[in-house]
Amino acid sequence: MKSLALPALHATHAGIWVAAGGEVREASRGEAIARLAETPHIILNAPLVGQRLGYADVSGLDLLELFAFVHPARFAVPTVSGLARACGVEPPASDNEAAATLVAIAQALLDRLAGDDWPEREGAWTANASLTRIGWAWAPQVGRNLARPERGERMLFSRLPQWEEAGERPQPKSLSIPPADAEAKLAELTGKGSEPREGQTAMAAESAAIFAPRCVEGEPNMLLAEAGTGIGKTLAYLAPASLWADRAQGTVWVSTFTKALQRQLDAEGKKLFPDPAERNRRIVIRKGRENYLCLLNLEDAMQGAFAGRAAILAQLVGRWAAYSKDGDMVGGDLPGWLPSLFRRAGAAALTDRRGECVYAGCPHYRKCFIERAERAGREADLVIANHALVMVNAARGRPDAPSRIIFDEGHHLFDAADSTFSAALTGQEAIEMRRWIVGPEGKSRGRRRGLAARLLDVCSYDVAGAQALDNAVEAALALPSDGWLARLAEGDPFGPIETLLSEVRGTVYARAKAREAGYGLETELAEPDGNLVTAASAAMEALEALAKPLAALTRRLEAVLEDAPDWLDSQARARVEGAITGLAWRRETLAAWIALLGRVGGVADPDFVDWLAIDRVEGREYDVGFHRHWLDPTRPLARAVLEPAHGVLVTSATLRGSDGWPSAEARTGALHLGHPVGHFEAASPFDYGQQAEVLIVTDIGRNDIGALAGAYARLIEAAEGGTLGLFSAIQRLRGVHARIADRLARAGLPLLAQHVDPIDTGTLVDIFRDDPHASLLGTDALRDGVDVPGESLRLVVMERVPWPRPTVLHAARKLANGGSVYDDRVVRARLAQGFGRLIRRQGDRGLFVILSSALPSRLLTAFPPEVAVSRVPLDVALERVRAKLFGTTRVEPVEIDA
């Protein structure tokens, strides 16, 4: 096949290289921009290249787009080396060779199109024909290498498998799992010849108790288990869980907080069920509906609803949909880097984020990824879900709400419950309610369908239902509409809700203490003035006027199901049931809003924390409104999730922290159950005293960004990369990155950064894990959700003590939970989680460095007691890093102050 004659351009913080005519040379930024404007170049990740060049409108032949076309639903690290390995090309040894490697990768991908063993061939020719019409840069090259099929290709929507209806699954059998059986199953899973781990075996035996039949309604068998990193807690609880699911013919839900652990659990499933077909049947990953591709949205996008770059994305997502395992667009087998190549051009519009599903009214209902996942979960042995979905399903009384639940990453239960059981009456929330009911207005585009469009044919058979529907649409017009935020800024609100939000905005600006531009503004809902009280009263009347017809419509739809007419076939029934579920959700939201407004000018409810807020990003407002959180969100967690369950296991490596079991019971809801729960503890098998060390650097000024950046650069250089930098403020992260990225890149130490690089967080972690010389800067999400064993992570640097932000909500909880003792508990938990990123496997070694002398000694109990903790100046810390990671002699620790 004829070799490519296209030029390539590779840009990093270290420089810019161009490959053309068989030669590679360095280029200036200006020359690179001019070349890209004149001639299409092969590039890798156009948004990232544009950022490196300081020119946002970079376009070219992006290799990631070509890879997504040739190998949809396949994983590849989106770097030159990562893509080279995925395509069977020799990775470059230096940046100087990378530009030429881009050409070789492109050649390999295009050659693949002509191969006889290309498994993703079906649909490619048709997709490229559509991509050619919309101007995809790679389409001509693909067209020259892709033979036209002898017969017409099947359309995407005819190639997707259909799910089948099944009868309701019987209640699981009432039986117990003997501890000895759990231990035997664990031994089977770990394999013959593997070294037994005492803590893992003990945890498997203890965990079996949660599967016994409960004795009293509302009193689940509950076990809190602190399982130190490295004991293998995943297989420890999967052993009894899989036994119970098989013997009782029931389903166990395993809930996580991070997508990384979901992927890990999915991988562990290979040990339970080696056969892929059996594994896919017996282990199902479940997420919220907004995570899955909506086929109706995709069809509209592919047929012209999207234009420009968004239309290209739609075609590439269509290629992926035909080969996807489950249609999960967020953390599934859709490459996380693919949507970021198109910035915000349409990825969110391909999912059902507004709850507008028409259910059986959709022509793709029988092939819907969401419906398939829900039905597969009902028959599965294990459902791998997240905390939010488990809580929402339980709170709404869903029929598939689990009876046996395992909460891994249990230290996040409090935060997950805090989010799930909160309420917010804001402009963004209110306009979403309006759109769900009213549908598209004015010049708005897209597949958005209002309640009338989804139910008009059903209500046409019922006069009372049709009247309730009309009344609901009319009442919803009182909610904010497009342009509401601009009208608030101009002091010209329209309608009772916008008037209320205008008063909220004025109150917040009058009372709130200004903070950094990256944060919003907020103030307590206390002593409201007369205008705010009056506006709240009028808004409450408007919301009540909306709640009444929605309730009436719900009753009419329920009556239709109870006394089913002749025209109500199975598809119409499914659509009515879906509408009833959606209406119940919105009615719950309205009830929460009305209760919140009833508080304005009245007596505060001691169970809740209420405040007013203006949400901002870098000083730009994007939302305004009221917020309500439970003072203790584990109370609704216990009532809605724990009490209905038969058995619950909550586990984490840091569940107790340094405050003991009472703190763990309070943070998980066990305290509110009214009966004793079990406790289990297994220490980590790691030798932290030999494998890790903590350094507190004493000579970095608190607000000296230059000194902070210099410290980060020198530490990363001393560790030769492999550094995870944790920040408590995005502004400081960006400031440090801007000062040191070029310097480190020239030394062969790539620096990645959350909130800087136009790459999603999961992909940043993938790149970091893949390159032992790379380093990664990030915020809270990286402190809790990163699992990078081995040489790729050997140094964790935290820029300051992670004190909680002084929000209204935090102040209320601090006051109710012991004042500074509460703050200390939060900080210790954050320090423990940050330190926990460091040692993930036997043989790992590294250091945890805090660039702040203000860390009180009382907080050092966050670290394992055997770990040496030293207060040292930066120069000593650098020597300690080099000695620990690369030296052969042990450096004696410096004693800390008592």
Side-chain angles (χ1 to χ4, degrees):
M1 187 171 291
K2 185 177 179 181
S3 61
L4 279 175
L6 294 169
L9 185 144
H10 176 61
T12 74
H13 282 288
I16 303 164
W17 291 266
V18 174
E23 296 182 353
V24 178
R25 65 180 181 83
E26 285 198 64
S28 68
R29 184 172 297 176
E31 179 190 354
I33 294 172
R35 288 183 65 99
L36 288 172
E38 293 172 0
T39 306
H41 283 57
I42 299 173
I43 56 178
L44 182 67
N45 196 329
L48 190 62
V49 171
Q51 185 186 78
R52 299 285 187 265
L53 299 179
Y55 184 71
D57 295 327
V58 162
S59 62
L61 297 157
D62 197 328
L63 274 180
L64 292 179
E65 294 180 23
L66 181 60
F67 185 89
F69 178 89
V70 178
H71 295 306
R74 284 204 201 181
F75 172 77
V77 177
T79 60
V80 181
S81 295
L83 218 57
R85 288 193 298 272
C87 297
V89 173
E90 182 69 23
S94 66
D95 282 334
N96 187 56
E97 299 177 10
T101 304
L102 294 180
V103 180
I105 295 170
Q107 186 70 66
L109 287 169
L110 293 172
D111 289 349
R112 190 76 167 120
L113 300 176
D116 294 331
D117 58 345
W118 179 33
E120 299 103 336
R121 177 180 300 279
E122 185 172 15
W125 192 90
T126 302
N128 193 59
S130 298
L131 286 163
T132 300
R133 288 192 295 271
I134 56 182
W136 185 42
W138 279 109
Q141 294 289 338
V142 170
R144 282 192 285 270
N145 290 271
L146 184 61
R148 181 167 185 161
E150 296 179 2
R151 292 176 293 183
E153 294 180 314
R154 293 180 297 165
M155 291 182 60
L156 164 66
F157 300 103
S158 64
R159 290 157 55 199
L160 295 173
Q162 292 192 18
W163 51 262
E164 299 292 335
E165 287 284 6
E168 187 175 346
R169 193 175 189 182
Q171 288 290 321
K173 300 175 184 177
S174 295
L175 54 83
S176 300
I177 300 298
D181 289 8
E183 293 176 3
K185 182 65 176 180
L186 175 64
E188 176 189 324
L189 294 177
T190 54
K192 294 181 180 179
S194 62
E195 183 178 346
R197 287 183 271 187
E198 183 179 339
Q200 185 183 45
T201 303
M203 182 174 174
E206 289 285 335
S207 299
I210 74 161
F211 298 100
R214 67 180 180 184
C215 299
V216 180
E217 183 180 7
E219 295 187 4
N221 301 310
M222 188 169 182
L223 176 68
L224 304 182
E226 180 167 279
T229 304
I231 77 156
K233 67 177 181 295
T234 302
L235 288 181
Y237 61 65
L238 286 181
S242 60
L243 282 178
W244 181 85
D246 183 57
R247 296 176 181 178
Q249 294 298 292
T251 301
V252 179
W253 282 56
V254 183
S255 180
T256 76
F257 189 74
T258 63
K259 295 181 178 68
L261 183 55
Q262 281 193 332
R263 289 193 294 268
Q264 180 183 328
L265 283 164
D266 193 31
E268 294 284 17
K270 296 177 182 177
K271 297 177 182 177
L272 283 169
F273 309 111
D275 178 62
E278 183 182 16
R279 184 167 64 250
N280 290 338
R281 178 173 58 85
R282 301 183 72 170
I283 301 179
V284 174
I285 295 180
R286 282 286 312 277
K287 297 181 180 179
R289 301 180 68 89
E290 68 280 359
N291 290 276
Y292 295 92
L293 174 67
C294 171
L295 294 175
L296 189 56
N297 284 359
L298 177 64
E299 182 182 38
D300 285 352
M302 295 175 70
Q303 292 182 353
F306 282 15
R309 291 282 294 162
I312 295 173
L313 173 63
Q315 293 294 331
L316 294 177
V317 170
R319 282 278 292 154
W320 162 78
Y323 298 95
S324 173
K325 172 187 174 183
D326 55 10
D328 179 5
M329 292 188 69
V330 185
D333 52 17
L334 179 75
W337 41 258
L338 182 59
S340 67
L341 300 180
F342 300 85
R343 303 187 188 277
R344 297 183 179 180
L350 294 175
T351 61
D352 180 26
R353 292 186 177 274
R354 298 191 180 99
E356 295 177 334
C357 182
V358 295
Y359 296 92
C362 174
H364 310 302
Y365 181 62
R366 286 286 180 181
K367 300 176 180 181
C368 175
F369 289 115
I370 306 167
E371 297 296 328
R372 187 192 309 167
E374 286 192 0
R375 283 159 177 76
R378 298 172 193 170
E379 301 296 322
D381 287 13
L382 300 172
V383 173
I384 302 171
N386 54 59
H387 295 350
L389 181 63
V390 171
M391 292 180 190
V392 167
N393 279 3
R396 293 178 183 164
R398 294 290 299 271
D400 55 349
S403 66
R404 268 76 178 182
I405 313 171
I406 297 171
F407 287 109
D408 205 336
E409 299 180 308
H411 59 283
H412 284 297
L413 264 186
F414 185 94
D415 294 330
D418 191 29
S419 176
T420 300
F421 299 106
S422 64
L425 171 51
T426 69
Q428 294 289 359
E429 293 288 331
I431 199 171
E432 285 301 317
M433 176 78 78
R434 177 185 178 121
R435 289 168 177 166
W436 186 81
I437 297 171
V438 177
E441 299 177 87
K443 299 180 180 179
S444 60
R445 299 180 60 188
R447 196 197 58 80
R448 189 185 304 151
R449 290 178 172 86
L451 198 54
R454 300 196 297 274
L455 289 176
L456 188 60
D457 58 337
V458 175
C459 290
S460 64
Y461 293 90
D462 184 85
V463 176
Q467 185 61 55
L469 178 59
D470 290 342
N471 293 343
V473 172
E474 181 68 26
L477 297 178
L479 296 171
S481 58
D482 291 339
W484 68 273
L485 198 56
R487 289 193 292 274
L488 260 60
E490 295 166 0
D492 186 28
F494 178 79
I497 310 300
E498 287 188 19
T499 299
L500 173 64
L501 296 177
S502 180
E503 293 296 334
V504 168
R505 184 174 181 272
T507 301
V508 172
Y509 272 117
R511 299 183 181 182
K513 177 183 178 182
R515 293 201 302 270
E516 297 175 65
Y519 297 121
L521 301 172
E522 61 180 35
T523 186
E524 294 176 279
L525 178 52
E527 299 189 18
D529 63 22
N531 290 337
L532 182 59
V533 173
T534 301
S537 178
M540 187 162 62
E541 290 180 7
L543 295 178
E544 289 172 341
L546 175 58
K548 290 177 182 177
L550 291 182
L553 180 58
T554 301
R555 290 193 296 271
R556 294 310 308 162
L557 293 176
E558 290 171 344
V560 167
L561 291 181
E562 290 175 7
D563 188 16
D566 295 339
W567 54 264
L568 192 71
D569 57 15
S570 60
Q571 289 195 350
R573 174 179 288 275
R575 187 144 48 95
V576 172
E577 289 174 345
I580 291 173
T581 300
L583 284 166
W585 176 10
R586 270 71 188 186
R587 288 173 58 201
E588 288 175 10
T589 301
L590 283 171
W593 290 354
I594 292 168
L596 179 54
L597 293 184
R599 148 83 172 87
V600 180
V603 179
D605 189 327
D607 290 334
F608 296 97
V609 182
D610 303 323
W611 72 94
L612 316 175
I614 299 173
D615 295 321
R616 305 187 302 173
V617 174
E618 298 181 349
R620 182 181 61 83
E621 296 179 24
Y622 67 90
D623 206 1
V624 179
F626 293 84
H627 295 265
R628 164 169 279 193
H629 283 236
W630 281 82
L631 183 63
D632 178 6
T634 65
R635 290 180 57 189
L637 167 67
R639 184 181 67 250
V641 183
L642 304 182
E643 289 180 4
H646 287 243
V648 179
L649 167 65
V650 182
T651 183
S652 167
T654 57
L655 192 63
R656 292 187 314 151
S658 56
D659 298 308
W661 289 117
S663 175
E665 292 190 0
R667 301 284 292 180
T668 59
L671 184 66
H672 302 297
L673 288 179
H675 69 282
V677 302
H679 299 152
F680 172 82
E681 179 184 0
S684 172
F686 300 146
D687 184 354
Y688 284 114
Q690 291 295 321
Q691 292 179 258
E693 189 174 343
V694 174
L695 302 177
I696 303 170
V697 175
T698 58
D699 55 350
I700 304 296
R702 176 176 172 80
N703 296 313
D704 189 342
I705 191 69
L708 181 65
Y712 262 101
R714 296 176 67 189
L715 284 164
I716 291 171
E717 289 167 344
E720 298 180 10
T723 300
L724 176 65
L726 300 174
F727 288 76
S728 56
I730 295 173
Q731 278 189 322
R732 288 195 294 277
L733 183 157
R734 289 173 172 165
V736 167
H737 178 271
R739 286 169 168 81
I740 68 175
D742 292 357
R743 164 183 168 177
L744 292 172
R746 288 191 291 269
L749 303 172
L751 184 63
L752 309 163
Q754 190 186 23
H755 306 293
V756 176
D757 293 320
I759 304 174
D760 68 286
T761 300
T763 300
L764 285 174
V765 174
D766 289 336
I767 298 172
F768 175 52
R769 184 185 292 111
D770 188 63
D771 185 353
H773 294 294
S775 295
L776 174 60
L777 307 182
T779 52
D780 290 354
L782 298 183
R783 187 184 63 227
D784 293 337
V786 174
D787 184 17
V788 182
E791 286 297 307
S792 289
L793 176 52
R794 48 193 178 269
L795 178 65
V796 175
V797 182
M798 188 171 280
E799 49 102 18
R800 61 173 56 182
V801 181
W803 296 108
R805 285 202 300 123
T807 63
V808 171
L809 179 60
H810 174 75
R813 288 178 176 159
K814 179 178 177 180
L815 183 64
N817 291 280
S820 61
V821 174
Y822 180 76
D823 275 356
D824 289 355
R825 186 184 307 144
V826 172
V827 175
R828 278 195 293 266
R830 293 177 177 179
L831 290 172
Q833 283 299 312
F835 178 84
R837 302 309 97 207
L838 194 59
I839 308 298
R840 307 299 296 174
R841 303 289 187 273
Q842 289 286 3
D844 286 0
R845 58 199 171 109
L847 298 96
F848 183 86
V849 178
I850 304 176
L851 299 175
S852 173
S853 61
L855 179 64
S857 297
R858 67 180 185 275
L859 300 180
L860 299 180
T861 54
F863 307 114
E866 64 270 30
V867 173
V869 181
S870 308
R871 296 184 187 269
V872 297
L874 179 61
D875 287 342
V876 175
L878 295 171
E879 289 302 318
R880 199 68 65 79
V881 169
R882 296 187 189 99
K884 185 75 174 180
L885 298 180
F886 309 111
T888 56
T889 59
R890 178 174 172 82
V891 179
E892 291 302 321
V894 177
E895 293 299 325
I896 66 169
D897 298 332

